[in-house]
Amino acid sequence: MYAPDSTLRDRTFDRLKKSIDGKPSDGHSVFFYYTYPFFQNVTGVDLQEYYHKPEVMLEVQQEVYEMLDNCGSFAPDTGAVAECTGLGGQVRFDAHGFISVKEMEIETLEDVLQMKPGDPWGDNYMRIGLETFQYMLENAPKHIKVNPPVLHGPFTVAAQLRGISQMCMDILVEPDIAEALLEVCTETSINYLKEIEKVMGGPLHHILVGDDISSFLSKNQYREWVLPYYEKIFKEFPNMQRWLHNDANAAHLFSEIKDGGWDAWQYAPSIDPLAALEGSEGKVTLLGGLNPVALQKKTPEETYDLCIETLKGFKGNNKLVLGPGGSVNQVPIENLKAILKAADDYKI
């Protein structure tokens, strides 16, 4: 039982820790993946200031978390471009100010071999992530944790630089190009993580890895072109928890994700939670069960009722954690509060 003065944040994070550790708890936790479209939707922040001014990013995130009983953690948030820009990718912004990276002009193996691993402190968004992380560690209120920047899987980084279709084609007809590009992306990831640890002043507890694009691959391709590069990264950080954000349709990769040694996986809303639990043999904490697009149109009352039904469907297994299967983006903040309340009310 929790102390009478425990907070919703305390209970939510304690249940999440117990799920990761394989320990029983009195209920299910909640996990939200907060990113810049959500923060802009709630606060109206100018995204150019949000991306590029650490004090603005911290202030905006704090404002939102205060609306949610502080159920969130600060983190640098500049989209999926950091590693790409370290390798020469150029950023672009759409009409909403959302950030992405342009495909590079890569035509031959020699083009790739000339690429150098990204310098985390160079003129790129890895540096912005590190500087923002440092600012947050120094200035965030002590009752809210600061998480490191999201890392992006080597295949996802390579596919952004090469183009998704072309990268998938490369592994079939130009495997030397694919291998060389994945090697330089992997080395860049390792360099970035080492600098993140230096800023943190100690070893990383966990890292969240974004890797949706790898779901385009078959089981055998995933084992050949994704898992070995993860192992190169995690060999350098053996005690770091591995959290995966892959909210594409990865139902065909249950065994491969399990064998990747992930501690937690945020999966797609199209995947049945019990199927994911069975496919991962109960070895991975599974984050999801709700469709973020459907949640946009529901009232808080409807959201609460849906959550209770979803929690019942978890069959009492706390390896299943409640949350939208992807970024919360345009989900109303009152609906997020309803999700937190439902999970706190529902007891196993």
Side-chain angles (χ1 to χ4, degrees):
M1 296 294 293
Y2 294 97
D5 59 348
S6 67
T7 66
L8 179 60
R9 175 186 172 87
D10 293 337
R11 298 189 295 273
T12 301
F13 278 69
D14 181 66
R15 290 171 184 139
L16 181 58
K17 183 178 185 302
K18 287 177 177 174
S19 176
I20 296 283
D21 293 343
K23 297 179 179 179
S25 64
D26 69 331
H28 297 277
S29 188
V30 171
F31 178 81
F32 294 145
Y33 184 28
Y34 301 104
T35 54
Y36 58 86
F38 175 71
F39 291 118
Q40 184 191 50
N41 186 51
V42 175
T43 67
V45 65
D46 178 90
L47 285 179
Q48 285 296 319
E49 290 202 340
Y50 178 78
Y51 299 138
H52 301 115
K53 294 183 177 180
E55 65 275 17
V56 172
M57 188 176 290
L58 178 62
E59 180 181 347
V60 165
Q61 292 186 13
Q62 183 173 356
E63 177 184 345
V64 172
Y65 294 152
E66 286 175 353
M67 301 178 194
L68 293 164
D69 294 291
N70 295 317
C71 291
S73 297
F74 297 115
D77 173 30
T78 54
V81 305
E83 298 90 342
C84 292
T85 60
L87 289 161
Q90 299 296 309
V91 297
R92 57 187 173 189
F93 304 94
D94 69 11
H96 301 286
F98 295 0
I99 192 170
S100 63
V101 69
K102 299 178 183 178
E103 295 176 12
M104 294 180 65
E105 293 185 5
I106 299 172
E107 296 184 2
T108 67
L109 175 60
E110 186 63 28
D111 291 337
V112 181
L113 294 176
Q114 290 179 0
M115 296 171 67
K116 303 297 183 185
D119 174 8
W121 291 104
D123 184 17
N124 58 61
Y125 278 75
M126 286 191 290
R127 176 183 56 78
I128 290 175
L130 290 168
E131 290 175 348
T132 303
F133 186 41
Q134 188 167 32
Y135 180 87
M136 287 179 164
L137 287 169
E138 293 172 352
N139 294 280
K142 300 305 179 185
H143 63 284
I144 300 182
K145 183 181 177 182
V146 178
N147 280 337
V150 172
L151 190 76
H152 296 93
F155 194 88
T156 284
V157 174
Q160 289 184 90
L161 294 174
R162 183 73 165 131
I164 296 173
S165 297
Q166 186 60 57
M167 185 65 188
C168 291
M169 184 68 72
D170 285 343
I171 68 174
L172 297 174
V173 299
E174 297 279 3
D176 290 346
I177 290 179
E179 182 179 3
L181 189 52
L182 286 167
E183 289 287 352
V184 75
C185 290
T186 300
E187 192 168 346
T188 298
S189 294
I190 292 170
N191 292 346
Y192 193 23
L193 284 173
K194 286 180 178 178
E195 296 307 311
I196 289 171
E197 283 199 330
K198 290 179 184 177
V199 170
M200 194 168 193
L204 285 165
H205 172 266
H206 76 282
I207 195 73
L208 178 63
V209 180
D211 192 18
D212 303 340
I213 298 176
S214 62
S215 294
F216 282 87
L217 303 181
S218 69
K219 293 165 67 73
N220 290 339
Q221 289 169 340
Y222 193 93
R223 287 189 175 276
E224 181 178 0
W225 296 100
V226 177
L227 291 182
Y229 298 97
Y230 278 139
E231 285 310 305
K232 288 185 179 183
I233 294 172
F234 296 135
K235 184 179 179 180
E236 300 283 335
F237 308 90
N239 299 316
M240 180 178 68
Q241 285 187 8
R242 313 176 187 185
W243 293 41
L244 175 65
H245 165 82
N246 182 340
D247 60 351
N249 188 354
H252 62 298
L253 299 174
F254 286 152
S255 59
E256 284 63 39
I257 288 174
K258 169 184 66 69
D259 292 346
W262 297 101
D263 295 281
W265 170 29
Q266 187 182 33
Y267 58 98
S270 59
I271 296 176
D272 178 79
L274 294 181
L277 184 67
E278 180 181 2
S280 61
E281 299 179 4
K283 296 180 179 179
V284 183
T285 287
L286 298 163
L287 316 170
L290 300 172
N291 187 326
V293 176
L295 290 172
Q296 294 175 20
K297 301 176 183 178
K298 292 188 179 297
T299 66
E301 294 75 18
E302 290 170 337
T303 299
Y304 181 92
D305 292 343
L306 173 63
C307 289
I308 294 298
E309 290 304 309
T310 303
L311 291 163
K312 289 177 181 177
F314 287 173
K315 306 295 184 182
N317 193 320
N318 78 329
K319 294 300 282 186
L320 290 164
V321 169
L322 187 67
S327 173
V328 294
N329 284 3
Q330 308 302 313
V331 179
I333 201 159
E334 292 301 321
N335 289 4
L336 298 187
K337 294 171 72 172
I339 296 169
L340 290 162
K341 177 170 172 46
D344 197 45
D345 288 347
Y346 185 86
K347 299 298 185 286
I348 296 176

